[in-house]
Amino acid sequence: MDVFICGITDTATDHELESVLLPHLRGFGIESYELKRLVKKACAILTLPSTEKGHKFLDLHGKRPGLRGNYRVPAPLKMNGRPLYLEEARDEADVFVVRRLQKTHGHPASTPHQKSTDNLLKVASLDNGYLDHGSDGQLSFHRCYHDARNGSFVLGRNRLLVKLEAGTTNPENVQVLIHYNIIERIYIGSKVKPTLIFVLRQPPMFYNKKTASNSDALTHFFDRMGISDQLASSLRTKSQDAQLHRICDLGHGHVDAVSTCFVYYVNFADHPGMTLAVNLLQRERSAPNPARLTTSIKAGIVDYRHMYNQMRETLDREVLPFSVKFQLQRLVENGILTPHKISQLCPHVSNLWRKLGDEIRLAEGIRALAFNLPFAGPEANGQRFQLQNLLDSIEFKAAKYQKRGSMYQVAQRHEHVGLIYRVSVSPSGTWLEGPVPETKNRVLRKYEGDISYFLRVEFCDEDGEQLRYERKVNRDNVFGRFQSTLRKGIRVAGRTYSFLGFSHSSLRTQSCWFMAPFFNHDEDTLMIPKNVIENLGDFSSITCPAKCAARIGQAFSDATDTIPLHHAKVESAKDVWRNGRCFSDGNGTISYELLRMVHRKFFQSRKAYATVIQIRFQGCKGVLALDAGLQGMTARFRDSMNKFPAPNHLQLEITGAAYKPLPLYLNRQFIVIMESLGVPAQSFLDLQQAALKQIERMTQNPINAAVYLEFQQVGTAIGLDQLLRSLYDNGFHFQDDPFLLQTIEMATRVQLRELKHKARIPVPDGHTLFGIMDETGTLGPNQVYVIIKEDRKSDTVCKVGRCFVTRAPAMHPGDIQEVYAVEVPAGSATSSLHNCIVFSQLGERDVPSMLSGGDLDGDLYNVIFDETLFPRQTCSPAEYPRPTPVDIGRPVTTEDMSDHFLMFMEQDRLGSICNTHMVLADYKEDRVFDQDCIKLAELASTAVDFSKTGIPALMTDFPKVDRRRRPDFMAPAPHLVLDANSASMALDDEMDYHGLPDDIDEALELETGGYRYYKSQNVLGKLYRNIDETKFIEKITTTHGPSTQEDSQAAASKSYTFIKGVLDHVRQLAVQVHWDTPSNRIFANDVRHMYESHLADLMYHYSPYRYPLSELEVFCGTILGRDGSTPNRRARESTTDMKDAFGRLARYTIRCVKSGEMQDLDKDLDSDENDDGSSTIDLEITSTMSATVQDERTAALQRSIACLATAIEEPGQHFDRQVGYLRSFPYLVAGVCLRQVQQYQDMMRRFNRRHGQALGAARSTVSGRRAAAAGPSKGARTRPDASASRSRFSDNSSR
């Protein structure tokens, strides 16, 4: 039951109120309860688990329902001398809260002061600065900021808080929030002064409770953006009502040091307090153990601003390439070296530049210094920080840098790849990274000779994650800092970069492009943002900043390839309109001849080709589908595709293609709608169980594992599936090797938590496809044509029958619609298509617009043919009024677009809307049909269009809901802890903050969200609870023992034994091959050094966090979420780029081993290489083999054996304290070695057969080592021949 309490004073805290209530509640045996203060009211709601005990409590201290008149309370409760009025609430208590309280009833709640007594300690002051080794090697602490305010120190579950009270010099209460996972070291100070020294990897987070003072700035901002007074009032009110304010620093004097100084001295009021803090920290497994200083640390005070300005002046003065200056400034901005050290280094680096004359080597030498330099603490050798040693280290790393196979050669070889410098702007810091290989866009291609003048800038939180929306926090100070950066620009290495623009996808990831002025010789003009945008097209008629930014953003879309259309026929075509709706929105056509030219350039290395491509051309965007009726080199663009005039750009940009059908996965949004529409829960449980069985079978034998890895695209870069097969064919099992076993376990865990925490369930009888319109008019209303073709060699499969189609995001019950898949007449132009869903141009309304407002400009549609997932009912599609875009009544400027970018960061609520919809749809009786859910679906539509209209979804329109309550399936995933030989889960223990002062309670709960999870009774809850990650992993590892239980030394020993066994086996098979020569050994060392150096670079380049990826993540092709949790959108996007980059490195390494040359990347690695690294030529052994071919193959086998032997017998490189030793090279070359020895044996067998000789004794060794129960052969999975294909494109491309 709920008890309504009023009469609470404004100054009273929750802690004080609980101090009054708890003793009396315990008198009635009430140990569990929930107390919730009402915002801006002197009232609270007390929820109790028992109605009977609650009535007894009110009989004595309050008022029972139904009592009228002057009722005298027998024993009234008082707080601060004032009476409290208690009575039973009119509304029913939340059933989920009551259920949770009943479950925990009998477990006593924390007593007031219990936590504060243990965890709350007194702080005398706080210092911030940096540690550095002086010229004498002595370690010193340089204090850059001193805060004399007294305060308190409190430990939470995953973070600690330092609260500083207002003082005479600084009249503000501030809080410093430090996550345990950003702490590098904790040191216990001297015996004289009770101090704990926290060395961090990044700035902490800062909060205070001051009143917002930027209302005038907000008003000016809203006026500039054309925001209506009503909307501006709503946005302003929500911002100012927050209880806490996120700030960027601790006040005057701290702003200069906060970005790069990561050492914080917490000075306690007494030694007992510090000792207690040390004891508590030792109990926190997520925090480093505090260590006593073994050496003394000198202290000094520095003027950091003066030192930093001197460094910038020195950089500006020195004549050095931009790439070198960038790396020098990066050392400072990322907190690796001090500004003073860089000022000293600069003249010497200039001398080194004149000596080496190689810009790339020098820049990479400086960047390697950042990776290899140890933390400047008591354990470090102070001599390494001496000026001469730093210079020697740079010169040594520059000399060793391998250009072969590096990103520089990748960018040189691939015209669509450019090397981009990056800057991350956080509330308190600025981080520099790069250069990093990225896919070019139209702007970068146009000015590719001046690509370093363009900068990708990301606005993020201190940990590199996207800045999260915090409901109780005012973030005006943070966005004020971001706005200053957008307006004033960023100064990097002597250049000032200003805001330029952003693409639609980068807007949602809070990143954009900046540029510095440069002189363009082709146009004989000084290029500034205004000139660059004018050269893209004519945007003068667009007066909505959001829409103008979206149109300009087309030029910032990544394009993997371009095709010149100077000699092609470019036609325009009218759209198909019916009933006021466009049935062809974003859909054009392309002729066979022109598509074949695209195929030759873009799809040459693919296993399949595409008949639907996603493009950008001039001011057009959308898809082009093959039209067999078009003649010659022709492309036809519809009016709906043309967004702005840009006649000077005649390159067809390819941004995507349907070269294979994508698998269909359910997600939580789909499942909750489908369940509401009558799909039985058992259907989802059966699909989940089938997926679990597939994962379980994966670990039972190597063949199953290989098939599953191939299907899930895990480890495809090195052909991991082929490696497992080759090992198995030669008598080796991955279960015997800790590294391979760990790889399989990680793949298992990743798939498992996708199933559990995202409900990402595969649907075998379903597909995800590009949508296009039927050009012929053959399809009737509500009919679709679905045609599938896996690769060039497979038959096309036409799907026929009743099916359901949807697309993400889906929130309205009408976002899933029933359609009928049919065949089209033979010879129809539509029949030449594949890997797409073709929608009819007939009917009352186009089907794509029914599916959460979809269109045909590249949207992906999910088609379900599995009858067990068919809804029992359907709902009419949503029909939302389109909001009127903001109109400023004049041409849009770059400042207007940057303001829209900032406003989108601040007001984008799509994630909150979707999460709230998920909660309401779970516990509301009508599920997704509930009016609150329907309202949220409409708000989501507004939020999706926000990027183009400038109109945000108003939080004032949100249904009233307790946002702290969530179903159990929305609980965060436990963290995966990766170390040298394991991938284990670390479960977070629940910690109750009950009893802490309110402001500290709020600050700690900001990061946990303060959520209460209840047991969902619907299918998502059942799916979630149906998987026990720990038990599942234990089950599948019982037969061979989990790798997670082995220490590093034991694991290394087992791996050595395994790989040594592979080497001995290969040497026995190739006993007549003389591989152990000095030249082969030198070559093997060079290949290994090249591979491991570039692999270490990839681990840093593609990490979406402040720390490098693990080798296992790169090797498997999967980036885990922060601290091993489920990955966010940014991590998923980085995964794609990382897999491509590692694939290029792996293929190049394999090619070097086989060819014997560390050649430049001047050939297409994909043209004659299969996914497993085997050559197409190698697979064609002719009967008239020449001696030259035999010699080449023998030499390739010699090199591969040498590489494998070198990898085993000699230790690899130790890169830095975060990367350590790398372990994957032996497995990469083991795969090459096994394939080469197999080809060598095949070659010798054919040669001997031709000369009538018997095979050697070595051949029998293979048969003896093979397992008795051989798995299915590769031939059993051969698909039908391509000659059966009905596609004209397939027949001609084969010729």
Side-chain angles (χ1 to χ4, degrees):
M1 64 173 288
D2 277 351
V3 176
F4 182 73
I5 307 174
C6 62
I8 306 169
T9 58
D10 294 338
T11 58
T13 66
D14 289 354
H15 163 63
E16 292 172 331
L17 180 58
E18 289 187 66
S19 299
V20 174
L21 295 173
L22 188 56
H24 303 284
L25 290 170
R26 285 182 169 168
F28 292 92
I30 302 173
E31 297 286 356
S32 301
Y33 61 88
E34 181 169 293
L35 184 65
K36 182 180 178 183
R37 289 283 294 273
L38 304 183
V39 180
K40 292 189 174 181
K41 294 183 180 179
C43 309
I45 296 292
L46 175 67
T47 305
L48 303 176
S50 169
T51 303
E52 180 184 355
K53 292 181 178 180
H55 284 163
K56 291 180 179 179
F57 173 72
L58 288 178
D59 286 342
L60 186 61
H61 302 298
K63 183 178 178 181
R64 289 280 299 278
L67 297 175
R68 299 181 181 275
N70 294 325
Y71 175 74
R72 184 179 180 84
V73 178
L77 302 180
K78 292 187 177 182
M79 181 178 179
N80 296 332
R82 294 178 57 180
L84 295 175
Y85 300 96
L86 289 74
E87 64 176 321
E88 187 172 351
R90 298 172 185 171
D91 298 330
E92 291 290 331
D94 190 316
V95 62
F96 297 107
V97 175
V98 172
R99 191 179 299 163
R100 177 175 54 80
L101 294 175
Q102 290 172 343
K103 185 177 179 180
T104 58
H105 189 59
H107 300 281
S110 306
T111 355
H113 295 294
Q114 176 183 332
K115 297 291 182 184
S116 54
T117 301
D118 291 344
N119 288 9
L120 196 60
L121 307 165
K122 292 183 179 180
V123 171
S125 64
L126 183 73
D127 295 325
N128 176 223
Y130 60 88
L131 294 172
D132 189 26
H133 293 270
S135 56
D136 56 355
Q138 174 69 40
L139 182 64
S140 302
F141 172 68
H142 299 268
R143 191 180 79 188
C144 303
Y145 172 76
H146 175 71
D147 201 312
R149 286 174 286 191
N150 298 328
S152 51
F153 179 91
V154 62
L155 295 173
R157 183 176 59 187
N158 292 314
R159 57 203 61 82
L160 63 84
L161 185 75
V162 180
K163 178 187 175 185
L164 301 177
E165 304 285 355
T168 54
T169 57
N170 200 330
E172 294 180 354
N173 295 322
V174 297
Q175 299 167 8
V176 184
L177 193 66
I178 302 176
H179 285 260
Y180 295 147
N181 62 9
I182 72 167
I183 302 176
E184 178 78 26
R185 300 278 197 282
I186 303 176
Y187 296 110
I188 304 170
S190 64
K191 296 181 179 179
V192 178
K193 192 174 182 181
T195 299
L196 281 182
I197 305 170
F198 292 89
V199 181
L200 311 181
R201 301 187 185 102
Q202 65 192 45
M205 302 168 75
F206 306 100
Y207 296 89
N208 72 7
K209 282 198 167 187
K210 70 179 181 179
T211 304
S213 58
N214 57 348
S215 57
D216 292 340
L218 280 173
T219 301
H220 175 68
F221 175 73
F222 292 139
D223 288 344
R224 278 188 51 81
M225 295 301 296
I227 302 298
S228 66
D229 292 341
Q230 180 182 2
L231 176 58
S233 175
S234 171
L235 297 176
R236 186 183 294 109
T237 301
K238 280 290 175 184
S239 175
Q240 294 177 347
D241 284 348
Q243 299 177 26
L244 283 177
H245 291 251
R246 179 81 182 269
I247 55 177
C248 303
D249 51 73
L250 292 175
H252 180 70
H254 191 224
V255 64
D256 301 317
V258 66
S259 177
T260 58
C261 298
F262 303 149
V263 179
Y264 285 82
Y265 272 50
V266 179
N267 305 307
F268 288 86
D270 49 48
H271 277 90
M274 184 199 73
T275 303
L276 178 58
V278 170
N279 293 335
L280 293 172
L281 281 167
Q282 288 173 340
R283 286 165 25 193
E284 296 294 340
R285 63 184 178 192
S286 302
N289 276 328
R292 290 202 172 273
L293 289 172
T294 56
T295 59
S296 60
I297 299 180
K298 295 194 301 184
I301 302 174
V302 297
D303 184 347
Y304 195 83
R305 172 179 289 185
H306 176 71
M307 186 169 60
Y308 183 82
N309 289 338
Q310 273 191 330
M311 180 272 298
R312 292 181 65 165
E313 291 172 4
T314 304
L315 272 181
D316 291 346
R317 187 170 57 248
E318 293 295 332
V319 181
L320 286 168
F322 169 81
S323 59
V324 176
K325 288 187 177 182
F326 181 92
Q327 299 301 336
L328 288 170
Q329 185 172 341
R330 176 178 174 271
L331 293 173
V332 174
E333 302 293 353
N334 295 10
I336 298 166
L337 288 178
T338 67
H340 179 63
K341 274 276 180 16
I342 297 302
S343 296
Q344 291 179 309
L345 271 175
C346 276
H348 300 282
V349 172
S350 295
N351 294 334
L352 194 56
W353 157 241
R354 286 188 286 271
K355 175 183 176 182
L356 294 176
D358 191 324
E359 174 184 344
I360 292 176
R361 288 188 181 277
L362 181 56
E364 289 302 318
I366 298 172
R367 178 154 65 167
L369 177 68
F371 298 154
N372 289 274
L373 202 61
F375 157 69
E379 300 90 350
N381 181 359
Q383 295 301 316
R384 293 197 60 179
F385 294 85
Q386 302 307 304
L387 190 61
Q388 188 57 50
N389 287 332
L390 292 175
L391 286 167
D392 291 343
S393 179
I394 293 173
E395 186 171 7
F396 175 75
K397 291 294 181 182
K400 287 190 65 178
Y401 183 73
Q402 291 273 2
K403 288 185 180 180
R404 297 187 183 97
S406 70
M407 60 182 177
Y408 295 97
Q409 287 198 347
V410 168
Q412 185 179 7
R413 168 180 167 263
H414 295 277
E415 62 181 27
H416 68 278
V417 175
L419 298 181
I420 308 301
Y421 292 92
R422 292 177 174 178
V423 173
S424 297
V425 180
S426 69
S428 300
T430 301
W431 292 70
L432 306 185
E433 294 297 343
V436 176
E438 286 193 22
T439 303
K440 290 180 184 176
N441 53 49
R442 183 179 299 180
V443 175
L444 298 181
R445 282 193 302 275
K446 183 175 178 61
Y447 304 106
E448 59 184 358
D450 301 295
I451 202 168
S452 68
Y453 288 90
F454 296 89
L455 198 69
R456 185 184 282 278
V457 179
E458 180 183 32
F459 294 86
C460 57
D461 216 329
E462 303 301 346
D463 55 4
E465 292 270 12
Q466 192 166 315
L467 194 66
R468 294 171 288 274
Y469 168 65
E470 298 169 310
R471 185 168 52 90
K472 296 182 179 181
V473 177
N474 179 298
R475 301 179 294 172
D476 288 349
N477 287 281
V478 173
F479 288 114
R481 166 173 158 77
F482 289 173
Q483 185 180 46
S484 175
T485 302
L486 288 165
R487 294 282 180 85
K488 298 179 181 178
I490 302 172
R491 186 155 182 82
V492 178
R495 299 175 182 173
T496 300
Y497 289 81
S498 305
F499 175 83
L500 178 61
F502 49 86
S503 67
H504 181 263
S505 60
S506 69
L507 176 63
R508 294 206 172 273
T509 57
Q510 300 179 351
S511 68
C512 57
W513 289 96
F514 278 43
M515 69 163 289
F518 64 92
F519 188 82
N520 184 264
H521 295 279
D522 293 338
E523 301 178 18
D524 197 27
T525 306
L526 180 68
M527 303 305 298
I528 59 175
K530 182 175 180 292
N531 297 348
V532 171
I533 290 175
E534 287 176 350
N535 287 343
L536 294 176
D538 183 7
F539 308 97
S540 58
S541 62
I542 306 175
T543 56
C544 172
K547 186 176 180 180
C548 184
R551 298 296 176 248
I552 294 173
Q554 290 178 210
F556 293 105
S557 298
D558 296 342
T560 52
D561 223 324
T562 60
I563 305 294
L565 296 188
H566 299 84
H567 305 294
K569 185 179 180 181
V570 178
E571 300 178 348
S572 61
K574 298 293 183 183
D575 280 292
V576 177
W577 287 85
R578 186 170 288 105
N579 301 325
R581 298 184 181 278
C582 182
F583 281 63
S584 57
D585 190 3
N587 186 188
T589 55
I590 186 171
S591 69
Y592 161 72
E593 293 294 336
L594 184 54
L595 185 59
R596 190 168 73 165
M597 186 173 77
V598 174
H599 166 70
R600 287 197 189 112
K601 184 172 184 181
F602 185 59
F603 305 113
Q604 192 67 32
S605 61
R606 301 284 185 180
K607 290 184 177 180
Y609 57 87
T611 57
V612 178
I613 58 175
Q614 190 175 11
I615 57 89
R616 300 287 187 270
F617 176 70
Q618 296 183 344
C620 299
K621 68 184 288 281
V623 299
L624 296 179
L626 173 63
D627 184 349
L630 289 180
Q631 300 299 315
M633 304 278 286
T634 307
R636 184 173 290 171
F637 298 88
R638 284 197 163 86
D639 294 340
S640 60
M641 302 174 70
N642 196 0
K643 307 301 182 181
F644 61 90
N648 296 327
H649 294 278
L650 296 175
Q651 296 283 329
L652 181 68
E653 302 167 357
I654 314 297
T655 60
Y659 58 85
K660 65 178 180 178
L662 300 176
L664 169 60
Y665 290 91
L666 297 178
N667 59 37
R668 294 189 298 194
Q669 289 180 333
F670 291 164
I671 292 173
V672 74
I673 293 177
M674 294 168 75
E675 186 188 23
S676 301
L677 294 174
V679 178
Q682 193 59 43
S683 299
F684 303 107
L685 292 167
D686 289 344
L687 281 175
Q688 185 197 56
Q689 195 61 35
L692 287 172
K693 287 292 184 184
Q694 194 177 29
I695 295 175
E696 187 176 350
R697 283 195 297 268
M698 165 179 142
T699 59
Q700 291 176 353
N701 66 67
I703 299 301
N704 287 350
V707 172
Y708 188 78
L709 291 174
E710 183 181 21
F711 174 75
Q712 294 291 344
Q713 297 292 294
V714 175
T716 53
I718 66 156
L720 184 57
D721 59 319
Q722 294 295 331
L723 173 61
L724 297 185
R725 287 190 177 98
S726 296
L727 289 169
Y728 180 69
D729 288 343
N730 287 274
F732 297 93
H733 297 259
F734 72 85
Q735 293 97 329
D736 299 327
D737 179 74
F739 181 79
L740 290 177
L741 180 58
Q742 184 186 357
T743 302
I744 301 301
E745 284 185 12
M746 179 174 170
T748 302
R749 290 182 186 275
V750 169
Q751 299 301 323
L752 200 61
R753 62 180 40 206
E754 288 284 335
L755 276 175
K756 180 179 177 69
H757 297 282
K758 298 295 184 184
R760 191 171 183 266
I761 304 173
V763 180
D765 199 3
H767 305 281
T768 301
L769 305 165
F770 278 111
I772 61 173
M773 187 194 73
D774 174 27
E775 298 288 341
T776 64
T778 303
L779 298 176
N782 219 37
Q783 288 184 342
V784 295
Y785 176 63
V786 180
I787 191 78
I788 304 301
K789 186 177 178 65
E790 291 290 344
D791 55 35
R792 296 180 187 178
K793 297 181 180 181
S794 65
D795 284 326
T796 53
V797 178
C798 180
K799 308 285 284 192
V800 178
R802 181 179 174 223
C803 60
F804 283 80
V805 61
T806 183
R807 65 180 286 272
M811 296 178 66
H812 190 275
D815 286 341
I816 297 180
Q817 291 294 316
E818 182 179 7
V819 293
Y820 293 89
V822 299
E823 292 192 18
V824 296
S828 167
T830 306
S831 66
S832 62
L833 299 166
H834 57 248
N835 295 336
C836 60
I837 176 171
V838 185
F839 294 102
S840 173
Q841 59 172 273
L842 305 176
E844 292 292 322
R845 179 176 177 181
D846 58 306
V847 174
S849 71
M850 300 181 189
L851 310 175
S852 59
D855 53 33
L856 303 177
D857 68 352
D859 288 359
L860 291 171
Y861 294 87
N862 308 105
V863 193
I864 302 171
F865 289 92
D866 187 338
E867 293 185 3
T868 65
L869 296 177
F870 285 1
R872 302 299 185 262
Q873 61 174 317
T874 56
C875 178
S876 299
E879 184 69 63
Y880 304 126
R882 290 190 175 272
T884 304
V886 170
D887 190 342
I888 60 176
R890 56 172 174 78
V892 177
T893 65
T894 53
E895 193 172 89
D896 297 324
M897 291 187 290
S898 69
D899 285 345
H900 169 65
F901 181 84
L902 182 72
M903 183 180 175
F904 188 88
M905 271 198 294
E906 187 172 8
Q907 299 298 332
D908 180 28
R909 298 289 182 268
L910 183 58
S912 297
I913 294 170
C914 292
N915 285 334
T916 305
H917 180 274
M918 190 79 63
V919 174
L920 289 180
D922 185 72
Y923 75 78
K924 289 283 189 177
E925 184 176 353
D926 293 333
R927 307 299 303 282
V928 296
F929 292 97
D930 186 90
Q931 288 304 306
D932 286 343
C933 289
I934 298 295
K935 179 62 179 177
L936 285 168
E938 183 177 359
L939 286 175
S941 177
T942 303
V944 168
D945 292 337
F946 179 20
S947 61
K948 298 176 183 177
T949 64
I951 303 296
L954 295 181
M955 301 299 285
T956 51
D957 293 338
F958 257 50
K960 291 185 178 180
V961 59
D962 183 359
R963 295 180 186 170
R964 295 187 304 167
R965 184 185 65 191
R966 285 188 168 187
D968 53 358
F969 60 80
M970 296 182 71
H975 295 162
L976 274 180
V977 179
L978 294 178
D979 58 28
N981 65 299
S982 66
S984 57
M985 284 188 298
L987 298 175
D988 291 332
D989 298 326
E990 289 296 328
M991 175 176 178
D992 189 2
Y993 298 113
H994 181 84
L996 293 176
D998 296 335
D999 48 0
I1000 291 181
D1001 188 22
E1002 292 166 7
L1004 288 173
E1005 284 196 0
L1006 284 176
E1007 293 303 305
T1008 62
Y1011 298 123
R1012 310 286 187 180
Y1013 296 97
Y1014 66 85
K1015 184 178 179 180
S1016 170
Q1017 302 302 315
N1018 296 307
V1019 68
L1020 283 175
K1022 295 175 183 177
L1023 291 168
Y1024 173 79
R1025 295 186 297 274
N1026 199 37
I1027 298 177
D1028 186 319
E1029 288 183 74
T1030 304
K1031 289 184 178 179
F1032 189 89
I1033 295 298
E1034 289 175 354
K1035 178 182 176 182
I1036 64 177
T1037 55
T1038 50
T1039 57
H1040 46 75
S1043 68
T1044 55
Q1045 293 180 358
E1046 297 176 330
D1047 58 34
S1048 299
Q1049 188 172 0
S1053 177
K1054 286 188 68 174
S1055 290
Y1056 172 81
T1057 303
F1058 182 85
I1059 293 294
K1060 182 67 164 56
V1062 175
L1063 175 62
D1064 292 342
H1065 174 64
V1066 169
R1067 292 171 64 179
Q1068 188 176 6
L1069 293 177
V1071 67
Q1072 296 180 344
V1073 176
H1074 303 290
W1075 59 270
D1076 196 0
T1077 64
S1079 59
N1080 281 341
R1081 288 284 191 173
I1082 294 172
F1083 175 81
N1085 273 313
D1086 289 344
V1087 171
R1088 182 182 189 176
H1089 175 74
M1090 178 276 299
Y1091 169 80
E1092 292 185 341
S1093 297
H1094 296 325
L1095 175 58
D1097 286 344
L1098 294 182
M1099 293 164 66
Y1100 279 99
H1101 292 338
Y1102 294 99
S1103 173
Y1105 315 114
R1106 297 289 192 221
Y1107 48 83
L1109 300 171
S1110 69
E1111 183 181 16
L1112 201 62
E1113 288 174 288
V1114 179
F1115 190 77
C1116 291
T1118 301
I1119 297 178
L1120 299 175
R1122 187 175 59 143
D1123 300 326
S1125 58
T1126 51
N1128 57 16
R1129 177 177 177 177
R1130 186 172 173 226
R1132 291 193 297 270
E1133 291 176 349
S1134 296
T1135 294
T1136 303
D1137 296 336
M1138 180 264 295
K1139 287 176 71 172
D1140 290 343
F1142 183 60
R1144 287 192 295 266
L1145 173 61
R1147 290 192 299 272
Y1148 175 72
T1149 305
I1150 292 170
R1151 188 180 189 125
C1152 288
V1153 173
K1154 293 169 63 176
S1155 68
E1157 298 179 8
M1158 301 273 287
Q1159 73 274 19
D1160 293 342
L1161 288 174
D1162 55 356
K1163 297 180 181 178
D1164 187 354
L1165 292 178
D1166 297 322
S1167 60
D1168 61 351
E1169 295 265 349
N1170 296 320
D1171 288 343
D1172 60 356
S1174 62
S1175 173
T1176 306
I1177 300 172
D1178 289 339
L1179 300 179
E1180 299 172 357
I1181 302 178
T1182 64
S1183 59
T1184 57
M1185 184 179 298
S1186 66
T1188 303
V1189 174
Q1190 294 183 40
D1191 291 343
E1192 289 177 355
R1193 291 191 177 155
T1194 303
L1197 177 58
Q1198 291 172 342
R1199 286 187 296 271
S1200 63
I1201 298 175
C1203 287
L1204 184 57
T1206 300
I1208 296 171
E1209 298 168 4
E1210 300 180 22
Q1213 304 176 76
H1214 186 277
F1215 285 88
D1216 57 60
R1217 63 181 186 275
Q1218 297 191 76
V1219 172
Y1221 288 101
L1222 298 177
R1223 302 179 291 157
S1224 61
F1225 182 71
Y1227 301 91
L1228 180 70
V1229 295
V1232 181
C1233 202
L1234 289 171
R1235 288 191 296 271
Q1236 289 300 127
V1237 76
Q1238 182 66 50
Q1239 292 170 14
Y1240 172 78
Q1241 287 196 310
D1242 291 342
M1243 176 186 71
M1244 295 306 299
R1245 183 180 64 233
R1246 292 172 186 245
F1247 179 81
N1248 291 336
R1249 183 179 301 164
R1250 185 183 174 196
H1251 290 79
Q1253 298 176 356
L1255 291 175
R1259 180 65 176 174
S1260 61
T1261 309
V1262 180
S1263 302
R1265 291 186 57 91
R1266 285 183 179 169
S1273 66
K1274 290 178 65 176
R1277 296 182 295 110
T1278 302
R1279 297 185 175 96
D1281 191 84
S1283 61
S1285 172
R1286 297 183 296 127
S1287 172
R1288 172 190 170 200
F1289 193 93
S1290 174
D1291 295 339
N1292 282 274
S1293 62
S1294 299
R1295 288 196 296 268

